[in-house]
Amino acid sequence: MGVTCVAFAQVVTIKERETGQALESVTISAASPRELTITNSKGQAELSVFKGAETIEVRALGYKTEITSFAALEAANFEFTLLESTLNFDEVIVSATRWNQAAKDIPTKVISISPKDIALQNPQTAADMLANSGYVFMQKSQQGGGSPMIRGFATNRLIYTIDGVRMNTAIFRGGNIQNVISLDPFATEKAEVVFGPGSVIYGSDAIGGVMSFQTLTPQFSTNMEPLIGGKAVTRYSSANQEKTGHFDLNVGWKKWAMVSSISSNDYGDLKMGSDGPKEYLRPFYVQRQDSTDVLVANEDPRIQRPSGYAQINMMQKLRYSPNEDWDFQYGFHHSETSEYARYDRHIRYRSNGQPRYGEWAYGPQKWNMNNLNVAHNGPTGIYDQMNLRLALQFFEESRIHRDINKFERHTRIEQVIANSLNLDFNKAIGTRHKLFYGVEWVLNKVASTGIDEDISTGIAMPGPARYPQSTWASYGVYLSDQYLVSDKFSVQAGTRYNRFNLDARFDTTFYPFPFVDAHLNNGALTGSLGFVYRPTKDWVLSANGATAFRAPNVDDIGKVFDSEPGAVVVPNPDLEAEYAWSGDVGIARIFSGVLKIDLTGYYTKLQNAQVRRDFTLNGLDSIDYDGTLSKVQAIQNAAIANVYGIQAGLEAKFGRGFGFSTDFNFQQGEEELDNGTSSPSRHAAPWFGISRLTYIAQNLNLQISAEYSGERTYEDLPVEEQGKPEIYAVDANGNPYAPGWYSLNFNAMYRFTDHLSVSAGIENLSDQRYRPYSSGIVAPGRNFILSLRANF
């Protein structure tokens, strides 16, 4: 039974038609009056503000969109059901403009990851969650890692946002990063990936795409009784002896609500598969014994020692809504890992076959965020809706390394304090124009320290820092207009102007830099123009052209680190912004409501590309760095890069609960070298994809999937990757290459009651031994997963 109306309140309950299960996160909207609300964990939403609405749209991912009216809902005692969808284009997307839009009205490709997907697939980290989408290639240097590659771009050419707040900092580097693991899949309400340039809305770095994560939102009660709900989850995985626990609790009243979340993860050393290249095996590892680094035979060469780590995530949110027009939310996020080994450095060897390092680890990765979100639903003279986001973030990361059988341990610690303000508006102009506009301010303060310790005596001395002490700031203003030319054709155009500046002070105590200060103060103008044509409800044609930029940050200007054996990267204060020009064309068609095909082709040209090249310091092409004569290099505006590719998807509904889907990605990229020749782009992954066969019954969800990727021969490896033989297999000519691979997986979830469910899976059924392109650690072998979930 649904909930009937009570005095002064109209509360609708929305359930799945066949199972009667309450549906959470259903979007209910109306154009007149202009209102939007979302159902809570009980499937309930307050509809008083919709009174008199003649057209109310009810949407949920995976369900058929329904049109009703307030009078019809009232006649049905405010009970409503949704039928699992035949295929459509009705999904609601937020990340494209920071406001709710139907996917069919957006000229760029966007995919979403729902809580239902997350519950079935059981990703250990947010990196795995993205990889499971089938559209994001994931590189991992170590188990505690995950560096997404999207459309041939990665790291500081992609944007991460959490609850609308920019996560990218001034020390996001061109090399692989692992900040995404700071996010908790259990606390993720929805994740979206926008493909292609997003600089109009998100500013610097949004060249290859935008990854947007919405965490759990506190939910209000729809009646006079408190709304109490949440979940508890426990999980075990055999490949790394994972032991995970999660608990979240929502308490809501009419105007106040709060949600608390905590997750604890413990991962042991990761075990690889039995069938694959022997070069990947780990026959020995280094252990410190009696003040000496000793090579210890690995009892099981398939276990990658050292690779284990632990992590904890906590979140607390508080929400207050004094009336229908105002909504205030405060959130606190905390994530911290243990120290974890950088596995790819542990398998780096000297010419005599001995390991180069006695230890190499990342120190605890820490992330804190305090954010305040204020939303107002007008309309007023200048906006219909307003959103103010204020955020204060703290990041800490460190690197600890020591050469084998050397006493000097080098520790480099980086801290960033990131302040940001986003003020976003939308405004309907008549019935055909809708404006999205806003301003953004970002300020990063970077502190970097170096410590050199003699482990034989315990005496520590100051050492060279990785970065100069710096501030980096960005100021932007943007405007976008969505124009409905007709019911079938719409155009969206936008522009943004951005200023960025950087001030850095270098310490010349350890290195004779030819400068003490570095300053940047520059601007960038970007724009986009796209259209969507819908000849029928089953056809969508789209095209989009856009520019994007990446402003030099502290990592580009001021980093000093060993990029590869015998090379050191030094600061380059003359660096300029890089600029991208991109275009994509998409077509999607639904056949008889049971087969959906979509295809997108894209091309991006990156000018003034910031890449690592040979350099000089005080006229010298080599300097002594940490006791090694090293070639001098710097990040420079030295190249043009081109990336093109296709993204294809197929989804079919066979009836009786059976379905099939395939997502496939092909990308090709090249960049210019110093000698005028070209090399494949490092972040253009080999072709990859995922295919899934699914079965859904009343309480049962089954999925068989195949994940796969193509080969990258030695000749097709980027020049930079050819210099990392330790992470690749060896071909018949003795050269490194990345073999193609596949993984067969089975996942199941069974719901015993509305409050208790179990999920289980077997990943890599055939126990393949494979290492994804450019990764340092080998993927898990056959992996048994068991998870119990209690909802209340």
Side-chain angles (χ1 to χ4, degrees), residues 33 74 85 112 136-137 191 239 246 267 269 313 375 387 421 430 468-469 503 575 591 643 764 785-786:
E74 190 174 35
S85 73
S112 61
V136 179
F137 190 91
H246 168 80
Y267 308 110
D269 293 326
N313 283 77
N387 218 322
L421 177 151
Q469 311 309 304
D503 294 291
L575 199 60
F591 298 88
V643 179
N764 196 357
I785 304 168
L786 179 65

Side-chain angles (χ1 to χ4, degrees), residues 321-332:
S321 181
N323 53 48
E324 308 85 49
D325 296 332
W326 288 94
D327 193 304
F328 300 82
Q329 289 190 51
Y330 164 76
F332 171 73

Side-chain angles (χ1 to χ4, degrees), residues 478-539:
Y478 75 91
L479 170 68
S480 181
D481 179 24
Q482 186 180 54
Y483 173 47
L484 186 64
V485 180
S486 69
D487 291 340
K488 296 182 178 181
F489 187 75
S490 63
V491 177
Q492 188 155 334
T495 186
R496 178 190 183 105
Y497 183 70
N498 216 103
R499 296 294 300 181
F500 53 88
N501 58 58
L502 185 153
D503 294 291
R505 185 164 186 83
F506 295 89
D507 183 354
T508 58
T509 303
F510 300 96
Y511 299 109
F513 299 132
F515 43 78
V516 176
D517 299 295
H519 305 282
L520 283 178
N521 188 352
N522 213 329
L525 179 67
T526 55
S528 65
L529 175 63
F531 74 83
V532 179
Y533 176 55
R534 300 174 298 277
T536 72
K537 66 181 181 63
D538 294 329
W539 273 98

